[in-house]
């Protein structure tokens, strides 16, 4: 059997008629960028997360970058960020001229709340938290620390649509909740898209200007903006999918439950579930010491896996100028050597799930 990490065509087929109808509606409307579909999606998504405002933008990276900018962070400012995140989180900081200060992750692959305070300096302006793989970080402690030190809190929710901590949606804790709707994400568009959610009217207004050349009124450019607009087609498709997100998450939960129950191999460490949080399983990430050998074994049996992520940002070539070296963040570096994401996607068949389980169980180091 051959199984890819994610087969995106399957999630399209689940609600194909609805997507086709939404797409045709936009194509025939004669209006394609920022319009009624974007507004309708923004309202629906703000309500879903439980926030007052949603600002649709061009990508998850833009959601993060523009949030950092709208909060006035740059120059000599430092921003705390987990050492094991996707590079985009860090790029949003450095794109604004600010300095990322890496903090080791905890056993749940998210920012280790117990290590945050030691990293705070007089230049620290914000904490960037990432709900990696679909599970919330330790938000009670993190919110308390941000408040106590007067720091902004930005949430990278690119992988956590629908994930909650203590009953509150990720994206509803910080000054800004930043989402990506890249096609592979749990709420994926059919192209690039992103959004910021917030309760702060002033921040929302600034973000609306930033995404559209810094103007509120056409040709009256108040601030230095960019072009990062959400288009009507993606907005219409996203609103359609948002209506099914609960079912899509439930399906991922069923696959994860089968993995958690069925995978029994002493060489494989299963992901840990945080108390008071629900996991939406953007990725099902296991750890094993002979990761590369295990990945080759699975590939030989037709199972595609991906490493999220093989090189931590502080060791990435583009960040050489920060002066970090191997050994600076041993927890994150060990994760980069041991993590592996198993196939997990909407529309994955029962027999495929069982084949993955049997193959994983058949692995001997
Ligand atoms: C995907 C992702 C992003 C970037 O989103 P894009 O829409 O691809 O720009 C940022 N952070 C994390 C954690 C992601 O997984």
């Amino acid at each position: 059997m051959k199984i890819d990490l994610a087969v995106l065509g399957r999630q399209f087929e689940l609600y194909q008629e609805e997507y086709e109808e939404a797409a045709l509606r936009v194509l025939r409307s004669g209006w394609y960028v920022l319009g009624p579909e974007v507004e309708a999606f923004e309202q629906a998504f703000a309500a879903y997360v439980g926030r007052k405002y949603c600002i649709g933008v061009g990508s998850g990276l833009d959601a993060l970058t523009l949030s950092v900018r709208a909060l006035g962070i740059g120059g000599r400012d430092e921003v705390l960020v987990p050492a094991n995140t996707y590079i985009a989180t860090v790029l949003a900081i450095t794109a604004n001229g600010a300095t990322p200060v890496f903090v080791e992750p905890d056993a749940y692959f998210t920012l280790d709340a117990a290590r945050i305070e030691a990293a705070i300096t007089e230049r620290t302006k914000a904490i960037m938290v990432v709900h990696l793989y679909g599970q919330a970080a330790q938000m009670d402690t993190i919110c308390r620390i941000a408040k106590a030190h007067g720091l902004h809190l930005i949430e990278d929710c690119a992988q956590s649509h629908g994930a909650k901590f203590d009953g509150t949606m990720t994206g509803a804790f910080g000054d800004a909740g930043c989402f990506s709707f890249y096609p592979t994400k749990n709420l994926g568009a059919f192209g690039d898209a992103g959004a910021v959610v917030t309760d702060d009217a002033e921040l929302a207004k600034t973000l609306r200007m930033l995404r559209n050349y810094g103007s509120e009124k056409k040709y009256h450019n108040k601030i230095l903006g960019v072009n990062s607009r959400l288009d009507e087609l993606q907005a219409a498709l996203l609103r359609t999918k948002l209506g099914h997100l609960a079912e899509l998450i439930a399906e991922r939960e069923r696959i994860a439950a089968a993995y958690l129950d069925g995978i029994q191999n002493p060489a494989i460490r299963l992901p840990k579930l945080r108390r008071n949080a629900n996991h939406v399983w953007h990725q099902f990430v296991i750890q094993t010491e002979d990761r590369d050998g295990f990945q080759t074994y699975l590939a030989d049996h037709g199972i595609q896996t991906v490493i999220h992520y093989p090189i931590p940002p502080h060791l990435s070539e583009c960040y050489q100028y920060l002066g970090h070296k191997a050994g600076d963040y041993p927890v994150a570096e060990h994760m980069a050597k041991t993590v592996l994401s198993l196939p997990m996607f909407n529309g994955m068949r029962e027999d495929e799930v069982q084949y993955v389980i049997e193959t994983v169980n058949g692995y001997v180091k």
Side-chain angles (χ1 to χ4, degrees), residues 58-64 84-90 129-133 156-160 178-185 191-195 282-283 308-309:
S59 71
L61 174 60
D62 283 354
L64 291 160
N84 65 321
T85 188
Y86 180 53
I87 197 91
T89 324
V90 189
V129 66
V130 185
H131 308 297
L132 200 69
Y133 306 146
D156 182 340
C157 306
Q159 305 189 359
S160 73
C178 304
F179 290 84
S180 164
F181 306 121
Y182 183 73
T184 59
K185 312 289 182 178
D192 273 310
H282 173 59
Q283 299 295 349
H308 296 105
Y309 301 91

Side-chain angles (χ1 to χ4, degrees), residues 193-247:
V196 183
V197 295
T198 181
D199 285 337
D200 183 333
E202 214 34 55
L203 189 67
K205 197 175 148 194
T206 306
L207 285 163
R208 278 186 207 290
M209 287 197 281
L210 281 174
R211 75 170 170 186
N212 197 16
Y213 296 117
S215 65
E216 216 175 350
K217 200 174 145 199
K218 205 168 187 179
Y219 305 131
H220 292 251
N221 303 82
K222 275 198 191 172
I223 54 177
L224 298 175
V226 300
N227 172 358
S228 182
R229 298 174 297 219
L230 185 57
D231 66 72
E232 292 281 281
L233 193 56
Q234 299 310 330
L237 294 166
L238 282 167
R239 189 156 58 95
T240 302
K241 194 182 269 188
L242 182 59
H244 296 292
L245 186 54
E247 301 148 53

Side-chain angles (χ1 to χ4, degrees), residues 10 21 71 86 101 123 223 230 239 263 317:
R10 298 257 189 102
E21 190 202 299
L71 287 166
Y86 180 53
V101 172
R123 289 167 57 183
I223 54 177
L230 185 57
R239 189 156 58 95
I263 296 177
E317 203 176 331

Side-chain angles (χ1 to χ4, degrees), residues 153-352:
L153 181 62
I154 302 168
E155 296 177 75
D156 182 340
C157 306
Q159 305 189 359
S160 73
H161 321 74
K164 295 177 187 172
F165 181 88
D166 261 350
T168 300
M169 282 278 185
T170 53
F173 290 93
D175 298 80
C178 304
F179 290 84
S180 164
F181 306 121
Y182 183 73
T184 59
K185 312 289 182 178
N186 285 18
L187 179 59
F190 296 80
D192 273 310
V196 183
V197 295
T198 181
D199 285 337
D200 183 333
E202 214 34 55
L203 189 67
K205 197 175 148 194
T206 306
L207 285 163
R208 278 186 207 290
M209 287 197 281
L210 281 174
R211 75 170 170 186
N212 197 16
Y213 296 117
S215 65
E216 216 175 350
K217 200 174 145 199
K218 205 168 187 179
Y219 305 131
H220 292 251
N221 303 82
K222 275 198 191 172
I223 54 177
L224 298 175
V226 300
N227 172 358
S228 182
R229 298 174 297 219
L230 185 57
D231 66 72
E232 292 281 281
L233 193 56
Q234 299 310 330
L237 294 166
L238 282 167
R239 189 156 58 95
T240 302
K241 194 182 269 188
L242 182 59
H244 296 292
L245 186 54
E247 301 148 53
L248 293 169
I249 292 171
E251 186 184 23
R252 286 176 179 269
E253 283 171 344
R254 285 196 297 276
I255 297 166
Y259 280 166
L260 289 170
D261 187 51
I263 296 177
Q264 289 167 9
N265 185 329
I268 307 300
R269 275 205 308 290
L270 294 166
K272 286 180 63 165
L273 302 181
R274 195 189 289 289
R275 223 178 312 135
N276 299 336
N278 68 310
H279 202 314
V280 295
W281 304 107
H282 173 59
Q283 299 295 349
F284 189 96
V285 178
I286 63 91
Q287 284 182 281
T288 183
E289 294 307 315
D290 177 34
R291 192 265 318 277
D292 294 348
F294 180 55
Q295 186 177 34
T296 304
Y297 161 84
L298 291 178
D300 289 344
H301 287 78
I303 298 173
Q304 186 196 43
T305 56
V306 171
I307 302 162
H308 296 105
Y309 301 91
I311 304 171
H314 70 279
L315 298 180
S316 292
E317 203 176 331
C318 62
Y319 285 130
Q320 265 177 9
Y321 74 91
L322 292 171
H324 295 295
K325 57 183 189 316
D328 283 357
Y329 300 95
V331 179
E333 289 167 30
H334 184 250
M335 280 176 188
K337 289 195 179 85
T338 54
V339 293
L340 194 68
S341 303
L342 300 183
M344 162 67 75
F345 55 91
N346 287 113
M348 191 173 177
R349 293 191 317 260
E350 183 70 23
D351 62 317
E352 293 172 322

